[in-house]
Amino acid sequence: MSDSKDRLKHLKELLLIEREEDFYQYKEQFLRATIEQRKKNGATWYPIQILSNEIGYADYVHLEIERTNNMDAPHQFSTGKNISLFSNKNPDEVREITGTIKQSGKNKLKVIMHTDELPDWAYDGKLGVNIQFDDNSYTEMQKALDEVINARSNRIAELREIIEGNEIPTFEKIDDSVLIPQLNLSQNRAVRHILSANDIAVVHGPPGTGKTTTIVQAIRLVLQSEKQILVCAPTNTAVDLITEKLIEQGIHVLRVGHPARVSEELLKTTIDGQVQNHENYKDIKALRRNAEEYFRMAGKYKRAFGKEDAKQRTLYYTEAKNCIKESRLLEDYIVNSLFENSQVICCTSVASTHRALSKKTFNTLFFDEASQALEAISWLPLLKCKRAIFSGDHFQLPPVVKSIQAKKEGLDKTMLDRLTKYENVSTLLTRQYRMHQRIMEFSNSYFYNNELEADATVKDSLLSSNEDIDILYKPIELIDTAGCGFEELQNPETLSLSNTGEADLLFKHLELLLQQYSYSEPSPLISVGIISPYKEQIELLKEKLVDFDYSNFPVSELAVKTIDGFQGEERDVIYISLVRSNPTSEIGFLSDIRRMNVALTRAKKKLVVIMDTATIGNHPFYKAFIEYCESYNFYKSAWDYSYEV
């Protein structure tokens, strides 16, 4: 037992190292830079103007903000990030309040501030917004690990020893009568495995195997014997996906999380959304409207004023706050009933520390996409539960760890990594419904011991069955740029990489593919995804996409994203630009083969990979992929498209 506690104590130390590295990077980019440097880095907008200001969800102030210069400069503001609104009128005085980005555009932000009224200085001009360092997750993880380490003679202690491998998890006898008609054999086996677990179970879901579908059906069955279940995932995107699937099954879901981090389509399932649909909401709304009016009247007194004016202003503020207090009491009553009566509570791991969940306990936790969650963050919801079902794929995206030292010492090793090594804990989903069998085959061999099989509905799915149209008939093309002079370029500010030659080749190949596809019969609408591991290349590809007119082609969607951005998604056609091309065979984080596994398994009918084999081909993973492509005649040189390049 002391060994497990020692390891967890070391995990705490690694978290501190990671937090220090994270904060160091933040300081380097934001705090130590001048305001002009921060603007150039896309970490600050200044000056800005407030286009609208209103009280919205949970009495928070909602702002629409627009930057008034550097209009074409790229920026790092994105949905869900925390920001601070600051005043630069008096640089010697700290004037800032925090908020969360609800919606991000090229030059506008919609922000939910963490306050019910703006301070006076917000009306005086010279305003800006900064991206803010968020320390909350580190604090919560440290607290959780302390609780796990100090646990004695309770359920947390038992789960700790099972996860450490010191105790064997137990299972009831499998009930073979459980059979869900819409699930295949391996999915039904996984559901029965879940139902039999007393402590811990893992559903290993490789790409396209219907992991979320399986988990949702298991949740539906568990709800027949349990009143309420906690469902978590490390990202809001993953939580939103499983929430949508649960709602489709008619399950009453409460989506817990900041409104700025929940998709627009699911706002009605959030605490605030369900409060708004409650029969008593009209009373809350009336009280808020009164509060707004009092705040508005108080806001007239912005400048220097006399004693009587100050008294009147105070009166207005007092009345406004009384209205808000009364509305909150009514809202708390509704919220308590929501937490009591919802069948499933869905949230991210960090959001499971929400104050309304602080005293709640659950029998079962379903933790999806567990391969992306740090071990410490997995404990946040697990502390509230008696048993846990983890699902994910430890051969796909790992957690993000910024500290090289912390990563070397194992901070990126997840609870899922640990559990999949234990006998009889994990069950594998083996039938995939996404991709052509040849697109599946390389990953199947390299990662999954050839245990996957392509369903009949997708195994032979191509853009065209006409063997004479090579570009449409072959499910994979590896286009080798070796010897073409397509050198990588590094941005000296971001240190990220791009490759103009690869970008040009990609769009010319895509144009050729779409032309051929348009001529073929039939040619239903297809979706296209363009992937690169490097953000600088993503920006370059997005710029080129602006000038790429595909309106006359049968394309339903054309998206450019990083590998992480495509996690969980699929497209008919996927292009991957690997960028690296240098004389020293440096490939950097391309050596993270789990990320590449994600990229290679997004395509349904056609996968095009553009790489410099002279640079990348020395790595065992890419060497094996090149050999795989050569064995099926999927290999092409960029010189084959020389008349197009």
Side-chain angles (χ1 to χ4, degrees):
M1 189 175 293
S2 61
D3 287 346
S4 63
K5 289 186 177 183
D6 287 344
R7 193 189 68 80
L8 289 167
K9 285 176 182 175
H10 182 58
L11 194 59
K12 276 188 68 182
E13 293 169 4
L14 296 182
L15 267 179
L16 286 174
I17 293 169
E18 174 67 7
R19 190 255 176 218
E20 286 171 9
E21 177 61 27
D22 198 1
F23 189 55
Y24 171 78
Q25 290 184 19
Y26 171 78
K27 283 193 298 185
E28 286 295 301
Q29 194 164 20
F30 307 137
L31 301 186
R32 289 183 184 163
T34 65
I35 197 166
E36 288 303 318
Q37 288 171 325
R38 296 201 309 270
K39 283 167 65 177
K40 196 173 181 182
N41 290 338
T44 294
W45 283 6
Y46 179 84
I48 56 106
Q49 61 177 337
I50 296 174
L51 300 178
S52 66
N53 166 14
E54 60 186 21
I55 293 179
Y57 286 128
D59 299 321
Y60 290 142
V61 172
H62 287 219
L63 300 180
E64 185 173 14
I65 290 168
E66 182 177 43
R67 60 175 168 177
T68 55
N69 65 13
N70 284 41
M71 306 293 273
D72 295 321
H75 62 80
Q76 300 180 41
F77 293 87
S78 58
T79 300
K81 283 191 176 181
N82 286 337
I83 57 95
S84 61
L85 175 72
F86 68 90
S87 167
N88 203 38
K89 192 154 192 178
N90 184 356
D92 296 327
E93 183 181 344
V94 177
R95 288 177 165 183
E96 65 176 6
I97 52 172
T98 62
T100 303
I101 299 172
K102 173 64 181 172
Q103 191 176 323
S104 171
K106 185 177 180 182
N107 293 304
K108 292 181 181 178
L109 299 175
K110 288 185 178 178
V111 181
I112 301 177
M113 304 308 296
H114 304 154
T115 181
D116 56 14
E117 62 176 299
L118 288 179
D120 292 342
W121 54 258
Y123 300 94
D124 294 341
K126 290 202 171 182
L127 298 178
V129 286
N130 285 325
I131 290 174
Q132 192 180 43
F133 183 74
D134 186 4
D135 205 28
N136 179 56
S137 59
Y138 291 107
T139 303
E140 294 296 342
M141 284 190 284
Q142 291 286 353
K143 281 163 56 179
L145 288 177
D146 282 336
E147 191 171 343
V148 176
I149 290 166
N150 296 322
R152 294 181 62 189
S153 305
N154 61 11
R155 186 56 176 159
I156 296 171
E158 291 171 355
L159 289 172
R160 177 190 67 210
E161 296 310 309
I162 289 169
I163 290 165
E164 289 297 315
N166 298 326
E167 299 290 340
I168 298 172
T170 63
F171 294 84
E172 300 296 325
K173 187 176 185 300
I174 296 286
D175 184 356
D176 291 323
S177 68
V178 175
L179 183 66
I180 301 169
Q182 60 266 43
L183 299 187
N184 65 40
L185 186 65
S186 68
Q187 290 171 332
N188 270 297
R189 187 170 61 239
V191 170
R192 292 193 287 267
H193 180 65
I194 289 167
L195 296 178
S196 71
N198 292 321
D199 309 297
I200 299 282
V202 171
V203 175
H204 181 189
T209 52
K211 171 176 57 66
T212 305
T213 300
T214 305
I215 294 303
V216 165
Q217 289 301 319
I219 290 169
R220 186 179 61 78
L221 291 185
V222 172
L223 282 170
Q224 292 177 4
S225 57
E226 296 179 20
K227 183 186 174 186
Q228 196 173 67
I229 292 171
L230 180 61
V231 175
C232 288
T235 67
N236 282 288
T237 303
V239 177
D240 284 346
L241 175 62
I242 200 164
T243 299
E244 287 172 6
K245 300 288 186 185
L246 289 165
I247 291 168
E248 287 171 8
Q249 292 294 313
I251 294 168
H252 183 200
V253 180
L254 180 63
R255 172 70 166 93
V256 177
H258 196 293
R261 297 189 175 103
V262 179
S263 71
E264 290 287 339
E265 296 75 18
L266 292 175
L267 280 175
K268 62 184 181 295
T269 69
T270 63
I271 298 170
D272 299 305
Q274 294 193 42
V275 166
Q276 285 190 350
N277 287 323
H278 196 274
E279 59 185 4
N280 291 336
Y281 180 67
K282 62 182 183 298
D283 300 320
I284 295 175
K285 200 171 181 181
L287 287 163
R288 284 181 178 170
R289 199 160 42 238
N290 291 342
E292 244 180 85
E293 180 61 20
Y294 284 125
F295 277 131
R296 188 188 66 77
M297 290 189 289
K300 290 179 179 178
Y301 303 94
K302 296 187 186 80
R303 307 290 177 184
F305 43 76
K307 190 178 274 188
E308 283 303 312
D309 287 340
K311 188 177 178 182
Q312 187 62 48
R313 183 176 189 261
T314 302
L315 256 170
Y316 284 142
Y317 272 131
T318 302
E319 286 299 322
K321 287 173 180 175
N322 284 339
C323 287
I324 285 176
K325 184 178 179 182
E326 197 174 334
S327 73
R328 281 178 177 162
L329 286 172
L330 184 53
E331 188 175 2
D332 286 345
Y333 166 76
I334 298 171
V335 169
N336 288 336
S337 69
L338 291 175
F339 275 96
E340 190 63 32
N341 298 317
S342 298
Q343 291 176 284
V344 173
I345 294 174
C346 282
C347 59
T348 62
S349 335
V350 175
S352 70
T353 61
H354 188 285
R355 59 183 176 82
L357 286 170
S358 60
K359 293 181 181 177
K360 284 191 74 71
T361 57
F362 304 84
N363 188 63
T364 303
L365 163 69
F366 280 83
F367 197 111
D368 197 17
E369 301 295 358
S371 60
Q372 296 180 55
L374 292 172
E375 182 178 347
I377 220 164
S378 299
W379 274 111
L380 297 181
L382 186 52
L383 290 175
K384 304 175 187 300
C385 304
K386 294 178 181 176
R387 70 169 187 149
I389 312 302
F390 293 94
S391 56
D393 182 7
H394 50 293
F395 296 127
Q396 292 191 60
L397 289 183
V400 174
V401 175
K402 295 182 178 180
S403 165
I404 295 170
Q405 180 188 345
K407 190 170 185 176
K408 274 183 182 174
E409 295 190 38
L411 184 61
D412 64 338
K413 186 173 183 180
T414 67
M415 207 175 274
L416 190 74
D417 291 329
R418 190 173 297 283
L419 292 169
T420 50
K421 290 179 170 60
Y422 302 155
E423 196 174 352
N424 301 323
V425 171
S426 180
T427 181
L428 178 71
L429 302 179
T430 57
R431 184 177 289 267
Q432 68 86 12
Y433 297 86
R434 174 180 296 162
M435 65 201 96
H436 188 282
Q437 58 184 334
R438 294 289 175 253
I439 299 174
M440 173 197 77
E441 195 172 295
F442 174 72
S443 287
N444 190 21
S445 171
Y446 203 94
F447 294 102
Y448 305 110
N449 299 314
N450 289 314
E451 292 183 73
L452 303 185
E453 58 178 332
D455 188 72
T457 57
V458 298
K459 64 180 294 188
D460 298 316
S461 184
L462 295 164
L463 292 176
S464 173
S465 57
N466 187 341
E467 295 183 33
D468 295 330
I469 311 175
D470 200 52
I471 198 169
L472 304 181
Y473 181 71
K474 288 186 176 179
I476 300 176
E477 275 188 69
L478 165 59
I479 304 177
D480 184 6
T481 65
C484 292
F486 293 172
E487 294 295 313
E488 65 187 53
L489 296 171
Q490 186 175 55
N491 184 319
E493 292 177 3
T494 65
L495 303 182
S496 186
L497 299 164
S498 64
N499 190 315
T500 305
E502 279 195 11
D504 289 336
L505 173 62
L506 188 154
F507 277 104
K508 285 174 180 176
H509 185 280
L510 174 58
E511 184 174 20
L512 180 63
L513 181 146
L514 293 177
Q515 284 172 352
Q516 294 294 321
Y517 183 71
S518 299
Y519 301 149
S520 65
E521 292 291 340
S523 53
L525 291 176
I526 56 171
S527 57
V528 179
I530 299 175
I531 298 175
S532 179
Y534 292 94
K535 288 183 179 177
E536 196 69 22
Q537 184 74 344
I538 291 294
E539 292 304 317
L540 175 62
L541 290 165
K542 283 181 176 178
E543 287 174 19
K544 291 187 176 295
L545 179 59
V546 172
D547 298 322
F548 183 73
D549 183 10
Y550 58 93
S551 58
N552 294 322
F553 295 124
V555 175
S556 60
E557 181 184 10
L558 206 169
V560 179
K561 297 181 184 180
T562 61
I563 295 173
D564 295 46
F566 268 109
Q567 169 76 350
E569 296 189 19
E570 61 188 26
R571 298 291 188 275
D572 294 306
V573 180
I574 287 286
Y575 280 82
I576 306 173
S577 170
L578 291 182
V579 176
R580 300 310 301 258
S581 180
N582 57 70
T584 54
S585 297
E586 290 288 328
I587 68 168
F589 65 76
L590 288 189
S591 57
D592 185 348
I593 61 174
R594 289 184 291 180
R595 269 193 164 74
M596 283 312 304
N597 184 35
V598 172
L600 294 172
T601 54
R602 300 305 98 193
K604 295 161 70 176
K605 300 177 180 180
K606 176 78 176 183
L607 172 67
V608 181
V609 182
I610 302 174
M611 71 158 83
D612 179 346
T613 59
T615 299
I616 300 172
N618 291 324
H619 188 282
F621 174 81
Y622 296 99
K623 184 173 185 288
F625 180 69
I626 294 163
E627 290 170 353
Y628 171 76
C629 290
E630 287 175 334
S631 71
Y632 283 106
N633 198 27
F634 295 155
Y635 172 91
K636 285 197 173 183
S637 168
W639 293 109
D640 294 334
Y641 296 98
S642 59
Y643 62 94
E644 289 286 329
V645 176

